[in-house]
Amino acid sequence: MKNLSIRLKITLWFSAALIIIVSVAYVMALAVSNQIVQKTIRDNLIETVEDNVDEVEYFSSIDNVDLESDVDDFLSYGDGFLEIDDDFLDEVNQVYTSLYLYDGTFLYGENPIATSTSELDFSDSDVQRVTVGDTVYYVFDRMLTADGLEGLWLRGVVSEEQGGLQMTSISRTFLIIMPGVLIVAILGGYLVARRALRPISKISDSVKEIEQGGDLEKRIDIGNGNDELHRLADDFNRMFERLDKAFKAERQFTSDASHELRTPMTVIMAQCEMTLEKERTAEEYEDAIFLIQRQGRKMSKLINDMLDFTRLETKSDKYPMETVDFSELVTSVCGDMSLIRQHNIELTWEVEDNVKITGNYELLARLLANLIGNAYRYGNENGHTFVSLERKDGNILLSVKDDGIGIKEEDLDKIWTRFYQADSSHSGEGSGLGLSMVQGIAEFHGGRVLVESKIGSGSTFTCIFSDNSEKIKHKNTNKTLMEAGYN
């Protein structure tokens, strides 16, 4: 069973279920049909006898009756005659009708079990069930009440085997038709399953081609549709698209990182070779060591930034989330970084009190430090940098504004790219991962970063986070109540 195809499994299950349903339906139909047939037999018996009631009349004299032209039967009865109409039939649809005196004397008609029922009392308008040998019969008696017919009874008799014959006919018809219907239904189910599951084969073939060819730009095409298989194909395509982008970004990241690391390594190797060519003075050795130290620090910073970036992208547990006093964090970072005064730039800040956020303290501090460091790096001599934190329209806004050199409009979309630096004159001052890290940290916290910039006028970076202070306040309130003993 495990080695069968899904199409065949569905067909087998469908066939088994259909056969079971048809079998149960057949048994139920026979049971119901048998009851209906037996009722029909009894109703037919009653109807036939009731119809024959009007076919018997009494005449005190037959002098005025044209006996030559009349085909009716006449019987002497009492002081007159009984006229039995020619419509009175001895047997109709295996229902036999006969005429009796009240004492059981047979007068007219046909009764196949007359001997066996000679002792059976008449019961007006009742259906009696009589067993003769192995056969069951239904007997219906009707007392005649018209003038002159007093003391006469009509007795109708029908065999239960008549219903058996009808049931046999129904069963035979059912057994002839249903196998054909089952075969057609099973073949139809197989074709429907094959057609419905055809996209799975296409999906499997496409995935194999992508796996064997390594072409993540290839997509699964199973046509238009909105069923589960089409949605599965769309999910696969979106996954391949993300994987393609991820692999391309990884290759680009590896290439850029190799390039960035190659430069300081080349400088270090060149400095070492040049220094070892001949004896140097102590001052020259010291200068060489300082140069190697600077390049080593640059490589160390680059490697640490790359590791942090990788942890951030993989949602590493290294950065647990907690309730952070954002106001205190911003004030603390600004206070520390205001002491740097790089390019004699003045750092000022305006922070709204009691702003809370769910996040990682280390990452949020890194985000703000990167933005302020970026403002220092690209700021003008004796310039200004302004940091603000506020709540607005259900969001938390963290802005860093400077009056530095600004960013060209065509470079605004590129500044988030890893290792990209818009101003090559400042390329030696950072790893090129600062703004990429800012964007990654913001997205890690469910936020986003916007930038506005104009050449010669400076730039404004705004991080927008959802304000969850009400949830935090509610959570803290519940915690306080629980600690106070209220449940």
Side-chain angles (χ1 to χ4, degrees), residues 323-324 352-358 391 394-396 465-477:
T323 301
V324 176
E352 182 176 334
D353 293 335
N354 200 32
V355 176
K356 307 285 186 180
I357 188 172
T358 300
R391 294 191 188 94
N395 293 314
I396 297 174
F465 303 97
S466 177
D467 185 3
N468 55 8
S469 58
E470 289 299 321
K471 294 181 181 179
I472 295 173
K473 180 179 178 182
H474 180 68
K475 181 179 179 181
N476 290 338
T477 300

Side-chain angles (χ1 to χ4, degrees), residues 258-414:
S258 300
H259 175 75
E260 293 294 323
L261 289 171
R262 185 182 296 115
T263 301
M265 281 301 301
T266 301
V267 173
I268 290 173
M269 293 302 297
Q271 184 65 45
C272 289
E273 291 175 1
M274 185 183 69
T275 304
L276 294 173
E277 284 179 355
K278 59 181 181 179
E279 280 201 29
R280 305 287 180 179
T281 64
E283 184 178 350
E284 288 175 329
Y285 280 123
E286 186 177 358
D287 290 340
I289 292 174
F290 278 135
L291 186 146
I292 292 172
Q293 184 186 49
R294 287 197 303 271
Q295 296 300 322
R297 286 176 176 172
K298 181 177 181 180
M299 290 175 61
S300 177
K301 185 178 187 308
L302 177 60
I303 292 171
N304 287 333
D305 286 347
M306 291 168 59
L307 289 174
D308 288 340
F309 218 113
T310 301
R311 294 191 188 101
L312 189 62
E313 288 187 330
T314 56
K315 303 292 189 293
S316 173
D317 293 337
K318 179 179 174 63
Y319 304 114
M321 306 291 276
E322 58 185 354
T323 301
V324 176
D325 188 337
F326 211 5
S327 299
E328 184 275 329
L329 183 150
V330 173
T331 302
S332 176
V333 172
C334 288
D336 293 341
M337 297 196 71
S338 65
L339 302 176
I340 298 175
R341 297 191 64 86
Q342 186 175 350
H343 302 307
N344 200 30
I345 294 174
E346 181 182 5
L347 174 63
T348 57
W349 59 93
E350 184 177 327
V351 177
E352 182 176 334
D353 293 335
N354 200 32
V355 176
K356 307 285 186 180
I357 188 172
T358 300
N360 180 268
Y361 190 97
E362 179 184 347
L363 289 179
L364 292 172
R366 179 77 169 274
L367 176 146
L368 180 56
N370 283 0
L371 288 176
I372 296 175
N374 197 66
Y376 276 141
R377 190 173 301 115
Y378 296 98
N380 293 320
E381 193 74 27
N382 300 316
H384 298 83
T385 297
F386 176 70
V387 178
S388 67
L389 176 69
E390 62 177 337
R391 294 191 188 94
K392 186 177 182 180
D393 300 329
N395 293 314
I396 297 174
L397 306 182
L398 173 65
S399 297
V400 178
K401 181 179 180 181
D402 64 68
D403 53 4
I405 61 175
I407 305 170
K408 296 179 182 178
E409 185 176 354
E410 60 268 23
D411 291 334
L412 287 177
D413 292 334
K414 303 175 184 177

